[in-house]
Amino acid sequence: MAMGHTYFGRLDMDALHDTDVVWEGTAQLGDAQVEARLWAGPSAQPSAEELDDLAARLTDLPALDAAARTALRAYLHEDRSFIDFHVDELEDSGTAARLVREAAGADVGPDAFVAAMRLTGIGLWPTGRSEGRPPVVLDYTFEPDLGDQILAVRATRAGAVASVDWES
């Protein structure tokens, strides 16, 4: 089935035999362009309403990023493991060294750490592809050139943050 959408354009899902990317683009966040991918599969096609909601998350990315960063700070206030891992393991990180210096003998705080993180990718997983989880996944990294660890922030179609998960 092929369908058209005002934001995503023509989505050709006729040849899908498995879950695959049906649209790739970017979303603007400040001065940065963030890669975004829309996934679909043969058994569950997104509705026009769902695509509208997902497009709204990309067009209002600054608001979603602000909510995600609030959730990241709360997550890291509760569990410092992600911060400690990066500060301890990334010896070549100029950013980690700067954060340690600025902490002046104290632990690197979640606020400073989250401010240094970058949104590196957005996955859009419509109904049927998201396996019962929220369909918007924002991948935040710290020094992506030095490690593959991410904090994935999952959000609903409406943009409410549902969870933060440490992944690699």
Side-chain angles (χ1 to χ4, degrees), residues 94-110:
T95 304
R98 177 183 56 81
L99 291 175
V100 168
R101 230 180 7 263
E102 290 172 356
D107 287 335
V108 172

Side-chain angles (χ1 to χ4, degrees), residues 80-121:
R80 296 188 43 83
S81 300
F82 193 83
I83 296 172
D84 294 340
F85 172 82
H86 285 84
V87 169
D88 295 343
E89 298 296 322
L90 298 183
E91 298 169 356
D92 295 333
S93 169
T95 304
R98 177 183 56 81
L99 291 175
V100 168
R101 230 180 7 263
E102 290 172 356
D107 287 335
V108 172
D111 294 347
F113 191 84
V114 170
M117 294 183 79
R118 289 189 298 182
L119 175 60
T120 58

Side-chain angles (χ1 to χ4, degrees), residues 3-91:
M3 65 185 304
H5 187 266
T6 55
Y7 186 90
F8 297 110
R10 180 175 164 75
L11 301 173
D12 189 6
M13 296 177 261
D14 290 334
L16 292 178
H17 299 291
D18 202 0
T19 301
D20 205 351
V21 175
V22 295
W23 176 87
E24 290 183 86
T26 59
Q28 190 71 34
L29 183 61
D31 294 337
Q33 295 280 323
V34 181
E35 291 183 16
R37 290 181 176 86
L38 174 65
W39 297 79
S43 61
Q45 306 297 329
S47 68
E49 179 184 9
E50 187 173 24
L51 290 174
D52 290 345
D53 289 345
L54 295 175
R57 300 298 63 81
L58 296 179
T59 58
D60 196 17
L61 187 55
L64 183 57
D65 177 65
R69 287 180 185 276
T70 297
L72 287 167
R73 284 189 294 277
Y75 175 87
L76 294 171
H77 273 288
E78 191 168 308
D79 182 354
R80 296 188 43 83
S81 300
F82 193 83
I83 296 172
D84 294 340
F85 172 82
H86 285 84
V87 169
D88 295 343
E89 298 296 322
L90 298 183
E91 298 169 356

Side-chain angles (χ1 to χ4, degrees), residues 100-159:
V100 168
R101 230 180 7 263
E102 290 172 356
D107 287 335
V108 172
D111 294 347
F113 191 84
V114 170
M117 294 183 79
R118 289 189 298 182
L119 175 60
T120 58
I122 305 165
L124 305 171
W125 297 83
T127 304
R129 300 293 97 202
S130 59
E131 299 174 4
R133 295 187 289 183
V136 180
V137 182
L138 303 143
D139 292 339
Y140 288 87
T141 60
F142 181 85
E143 295 283 355
D145 295 336
L146 300 177
D148 65 352
Q149 305 297 306
I150 64 169
L151 287 179
V153 178
R154 298 184 193 291
T156 66
R157 284 172 46 181

